[in-house]
Amino acid sequence: MQKSNKVWIIDDDRSIRWVLEKALQGANIETRVFDSGDSALSQLNRDIPDAIISDIRMPGTDGLTLLSNLHNTHPHIPIIIMTAHSDLDSAVAAYQGGAFEYLPKPFDVDDAVAVTQRALAHAQEQKSEQAPESTPETNTEIIGEAPAMQEVFRAIGRLSQSNITVLINGQSGTGKELVARALHRHSPRRNGPFIALNMAAIPKDLMESELFGHEKGAFTGAAAQRQGRFEQANGGSLFLDEIGDMPAETQTRLLRVLADGEFYRVGGHTPVKVDVRIIAATHQNLEHLVAENRFREDLFHRLNVIRIHIPKLANRREDIPKLARFFLHKAATELNVDTKVLLPETEEFFCSLQWPGNVRQLENTCRWITVMASGREVHIEDLPPELLDHKETSTPADDWEKALRHWADQALARGQHQLLSEAVPTFERALIETALKYTAGRKRDAANLLGWGRNTLTRKLKDLGMAGGQDIEGDDDN
């Protein structure tokens, strides 16, 4: 039933051929040995192996020349390159030539067998593929099936006929600019310009010129009149990212523009009128900045007309597999290589990580995998070392149960009674708050996640003295 796996071992060193042959045969892998690249090439006219292990330096046709020939004539045969000269140039040359893996001598025999098995699995997978794997839709604007992301989609849909100001909240890397672009694309201003400006990336002394432009001679180096981003966005949308980093004096000018629809260029005396929709975004808590007098309260209320919260990736774990497939396909297309595929256990490991860098970190990881993972199938050990370093030694369930037991022990030691009367409300409150946060305040969805009916959740909120969740346009479940 299972196809036989044939591996060719090519090395002018007889002892290496013998060790590899015995080790692979011990793993039930059929082998054939050659003492030169030329003898192996001549045999290709009569037989084709499933994988090849070849030394680099041999008399006659060397390993890199052999690799180049085989990559052109039999590109689907995975080739493992061995060398005792394990320097950078050899490694780079091997991978650039299309090697499946690079094995420096002396090598551990078990490692050599494991690499060979992976090469055979890769070859078998390519043989058994009857059609290319369906690729993710590249025209998808934002990927997300989690309840919190569905709420973002609802918001974009509700605002599609509006020019109203929007404030987007979310951690760095969650995709705030993607949401801003989607808001613009699905708005009456879709045919106008979309101009994006990151407040955190502009020196404070250049920010006003960047936003409002300047007149010729307004300052040293202003050799000509220049339009600012407001003028460039006229008739369209201006996306102000990291609005919380805007300095106080620029906040004052922005407030006037929002109120009057006009401004003066730096060094100018003639008002410029514009029709611009503002979409702002921040990873900071603007309410806290207002309380600390670091952000104008009147500007905050001007911007905070409609607010959309983008969940962090750890709160939308069900989206991670689809996002990973999308980013792996995207990276493979950009780099013109085969698309990598996460094995089920690797995908599960991805879903268990915290992803502090959110979607941006996931995308960068997929790009790293596309370049660095040797086989088409991605094993956990193929992942970047920094991800493996964060592999959790205990599950979250272990942690909270341990903490609960510790609390109960301490409470009883203090002579406390009726523990459930204190623990149960606290437990329920934590789960309710988490569920409402996960569903962006939608009580019906939160009730489903908790396994309750909506009326039960409403009653619990009242009993616990908790404020109810709400939507962008109010909770339609009330």
Side-chain angles (χ1 to χ4, degrees):
M1 242 171 90
Q2 184 178 359
K3 295 183 179 180
S4 61
N5 291 318
K6 292 182 293 183
V7 175
W8 286 5
I9 302 166
I10 310 171
D11 198 312
D12 60 330
D13 187 326
R14 181 178 179 182
S15 61
I16 294 292
R17 296 198 305 268
W18 185 86
V19 167
L20 280 175
E21 184 178 23
K22 295 305 178 184
L24 294 179
Q25 288 176 351
N28 297 319
I29 297 172
E30 181 183 339
T31 61
R32 183 164 184 174
V33 295
F34 299 87
D35 59 5
S36 70
D38 294 315
S39 58
L41 286 173
S42 64
Q43 184 62 28
L44 276 173
N45 296 326
R46 295 179 289 276
D47 192 15
I48 297 177
D50 296 299
I52 292 176
I53 305 174
S54 174
D55 190 23
I56 280 189
R57 300 193 179 185
M58 299 179 291
T61 300
D62 63 26
L64 292 180
T65 304
L66 175 72
L67 177 63
S68 176
N69 290 340
L70 289 172
H71 193 63
N72 290 329
T73 59
H74 299 83
H76 299 303
I77 300 178
I79 302 172
I80 300 165
I81 290 294
M82 302 181 294
T83 179
H85 307 275
S86 51
D87 53 32
L88 176 62
D89 290 341
S90 297
V92 170
Y95 283 121
Q96 286 182 340
F100 175 81
E101 190 56 278
Y102 174 79
L103 198 62
K105 298 178 183 177
F107 50 79
D108 183 272
V109 174
D110 291 337
D111 288 344
V113 172
V115 169
T116 305
Q117 289 172 330
R118 286 175 55 189
L120 290 170
H122 173 73
Q124 191 62 39
E125 182 180 285
Q126 288 195 323
K127 284 182 181 179
S128 62
E129 280 183 340
Q130 298 177 350
E133 182 182 332
S134 59
T135 54
E137 338 58 278
T138 55
N139 61 347
T140 300
E141 293 175 338
I142 309 171
I143 295 172
E145 297 176 357
M149 286 306 297
Q150 292 301 309
E151 188 58 34
V152 173
F153 298 161
R154 290 189 189 100
I156 294 171
R158 289 169 182 160
L159 296 169
S160 61
Q161 302 303 316
S162 171
N163 291 317
I164 200 166
T165 301
V166 178
L167 177 62
I168 303 171
N169 270 115
Q171 292 183 357
S172 296
T174 50
K176 295 188 289 294
E177 184 170 344
L178 272 181
V179 172
R181 289 184 180 276
L183 283 165
H184 172 75
R185 192 176 298 115
H186 298 283
S187 78
R189 295 172 178 262
R190 64 180 62 87
N191 294 323
F194 176 88
I195 304 297
L197 187 63
N198 188 325
M199 299 289 101
I202 303 172
K204 291 184 179 180
D205 54 346
L206 296 179
M207 191 169 290
E208 291 200 10
S209 173
E210 194 70 32
L211 279 169
F212 307 115
H214 60 252
E215 298 290 353
K216 180 179 179 181
F219 49 83
T220 303
Q225 184 191 79
R226 179 182 180 276
Q227 283 191 345
R229 299 305 176 96
F230 263 97
E231 284 183 84
Q232 296 172 14
N234 192 27
S237 303
L238 176 60
F239 175 52
L240 301 177
D241 198 5
E242 298 303 348
I243 192 77
D245 290 313
M246 179 178 281
E249 57 272 21
T250 311
Q251 292 179 32
T252 302
R253 291 203 63 182
L254 176 61
L255 182 63
R256 291 201 196 104
V257 178
L258 295 178
D260 304 333
E262 64 179 30
F263 60 89
Y264 293 88
R265 298 189 190 99
V266 176
H269 303 286
T270 304
V272 179
K273 292 194 71 68
V274 289
D275 175 23
V276 173
R277 179 196 194 179
I278 296 295
I279 303 173
T282 181
H283 73 281
Q284 302 180 71
N285 187 315
L286 289 188
E287 286 94 335
H288 288 175
L289 295 184
V290 170
E292 296 168 358
N293 294 318
R294 294 165 54 197
F295 199 86
R296 291 188 61 124
E297 185 174 5
D298 43 6
L299 177 58
F300 168 69
H301 291 303
R302 281 276 184 180
L303 296 172
N304 191 38
V305 181
I306 297 293
R307 190 185 300 211
I308 298 176
H309 178 74
I310 313 299
K312 61 183 182 180
L313 189 56
N315 287 346
R316 44 180 296 216
R317 295 182 188 276
E318 56 265 70
D319 291 336
I320 291 175
K322 191 171 183 180
L323 283 165
R325 287 192 290 271
F326 176 80
F327 290 135
L328 287 170
H329 173 67
K330 178 182 176 184
T333 301
E334 291 174 355
L335 299 170
N336 195 28
V337 296
D338 291 338
T339 303
K340 306 288 185 180
V341 178
L342 301 182
L343 289 174
E345 57 268 26
T346 310
E347 196 171 89
E348 184 178 347
F349 179 64
F350 262 40
C351 293
S352 73
L353 297 173
Q354 290 302 309
W355 298 107
N358 294 293
V359 179
R360 186 182 296 123
Q361 182 187 4
L362 176 61
E363 180 175 12
N364 291 340
T365 299
C366 290
R367 187 179 298 276
W368 188 97
I369 289 170
T370 299
V371 174
M372 301 299 292
S374 55
R376 183 170 182 267
E377 292 183 331
V378 182
H379 299 248
I380 292 178
E381 55 267 26
D382 293 327
L383 300 180
E386 59 269 21
L387 289 189
L388 299 178
D389 289 343
H390 287 86
K391 193 168 184 179
E392 296 178 353
T393 56
S394 62
T395 65
D398 293 335
D399 294 338
W400 77 261
E401 287 182 15
K402 187 182 300 181
L404 180 61
R405 292 176 190 277
H406 178 73
W407 172 82
D409 285 337
Q410 294 296 312
L412 292 173
R414 293 191 303 266
Q416 189 171 334
H417 298 285
Q418 297 181 339
L419 297 190
L420 287 176
S421 63
E422 179 181 346
V424 172
T426 302
F427 177 78
E428 290 183 339
R429 185 179 290 106
L431 289 182
I432 291 170
E433 288 175 347
T434 304
L436 285 170
K437 180 181 178 181
Y438 191 79
T439 62
R442 291 185 62 83
K443 286 191 279 189
R444 177 162 46 197
D445 292 340
N448 288 336
L449 292 177
L450 293 168
W452 286 342
R454 181 170 54 85
N455 291 338
T456 301
L457 177 57
T458 302
R459 176 172 53 79
K460 288 287 186 181
L461 288 169
K462 182 178 179 182
D463 292 344
L464 296 169
M466 299 173 63
Q470 56 183 345
D471 285 335
I472 288 171
E473 297 181 359
D475 194 335
D476 58 5
D477 292 335
N478 287 329

